[in-house]
């Protein structure tokens, strides 16, 4: 991979619990989610470029997912990523150069469904993308799943159809 490419990693939060009386934003991870978030982190370290920076929803389950991955990179927790549209997430990705005072070659975004699948498929160009991965994403983007995209665009120029879907992994 050339230095001119950037890698975008889209991670859906791990399996959450549903405790009685706990608002959606505050739901914690379930025991399965704790285990699978760690597996997601193991996969990222083994198969993806080192993460330079992270954008993460402020929901408890996304924060706990990120913590369990053991990814060590600067993080911006953003309220806007909770219940976000794909366009809102692209807007936050476009602000990466202003949010971090260094060049971010690999960005991890930790968020929610249905946004992660819509975003992955919306960013992926038809030509050059992994069609089997796209088909799997269109069927289901399970908890802890990771879409890996590559783009030649700078973060502030990334738009729909601006990346190549490289792979899709569901850690289990």
């Amino acid at each position: 991979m050339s230095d001119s490419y950037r890698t975008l990693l889209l991670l859906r939060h791990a399996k959450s619990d549903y405790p009685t009386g706990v608002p959606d934003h505050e739901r914690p991870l379930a025991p399965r989610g704790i285990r699978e978030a760690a597996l997601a982190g193991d996969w990222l370290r083994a198969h993806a470029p080192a993460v330079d920076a992270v954008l993460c929803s402020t929901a408890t389950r996304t924060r706990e997912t990120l913590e369990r991955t053991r990814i060590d990179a600067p993080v911006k927790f953003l309220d806007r990523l909770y219940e976000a549209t794909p366009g809102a997430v692209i807007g936050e990705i476009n602000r990466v150069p202003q949010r971090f005072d260094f060049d971010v070659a690999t960005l991890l975004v930790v968020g929610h469904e249905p946004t992660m699948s819509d975003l992955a498929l919306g960013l992926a160009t038809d030509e050059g993308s992994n069609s089997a991965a796209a088909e799997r994403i269109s069927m289901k983007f399970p908890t802890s799943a990771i879409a890996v995209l590559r783009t030649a665009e700078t973060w502030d120029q990334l738009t729909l159809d601006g990346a190549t879907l490289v792979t899709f992994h569901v850690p289990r």
Side-chain angles (χ1 to χ4, degrees):
M1 191 158 90
S2 163
D3 287 340
S4 64
Y5 285 98
R6 287 170 172 56
T7 301
L8 177 62
L9 306 167
L10 302 178
L11 171 62
R12 180 181 177 193
H13 66 78
K15 179 69 176 168
S16 59
D17 206 350
Y18 293 87
T20 303
V22 175
D24 183 74
H25 190 273
E26 307 308 317
R27 289 191 296 120
L29 292 182
R32 183 181 110 192
I34 291 169
R35 180 178 58 81
E36 290 174 356
L39 293 173
D42 292 344
W43 188 87
L44 286 167
R45 278 186 293 286
H47 301 284
V51 174
D52 296 314
V54 180
L55 300 179
C56 184
S57 163
T58 56
T60 300
R61 60 191 176 274
T62 53
R63 288 174 173 264
E64 289 181 357
T65 297
L66 178 59
E67 179 184 342
R68 296 292 179 165
T69 65
R70 299 182 328 275
I71 296 295
D72 185 22
V75 182
K76 299 292 181 189
F77 293 100
L78 305 171
D79 286 328
R80 234 179 134 209
L81 294 182
Y82 177 72
E83 297 185 335
T85 64
V89 178
I90 291 172
E92 295 304 326
I93 292 168
N94 291 157
R95 291 181 189 87
V96 162
Q98 289 86 43
R99 293 193 184 281
F100 300 97
D101 61 356
F102 54 89
D103 184 46
V104 175
T106 301
L107 177 67
L108 172 63
V109 178
V110 186
H112 307 268
E113 265 299 276
T115 306
M116 293 290 100
S117 59
D118 290 346
L119 182 60
L121 295 173
L123 288 171
T125 58
D126 288 336
E127 190 174 320
S129 286
N130 180 328
S131 60
E135 184 159 330
R136 287 179 58 216
I137 290 170
S138 70
M139 291 190 307
K140 186 173 185 181
F141 200 113
T143 53
S144 302
I146 305 158
V148 179
L149 296 105
R150 185 178 61 199
T151 184
E153 299 296 331
T154 58
W155 296 123
D156 60 346
Q157 297 297 311
L158 184 64
T159 61
L160 293 175
D161 292 322
T164 301
L165 177 61
V166 177
T167 194
F168 180 65
H169 179 71
V170 181
R172 296 284 185 257

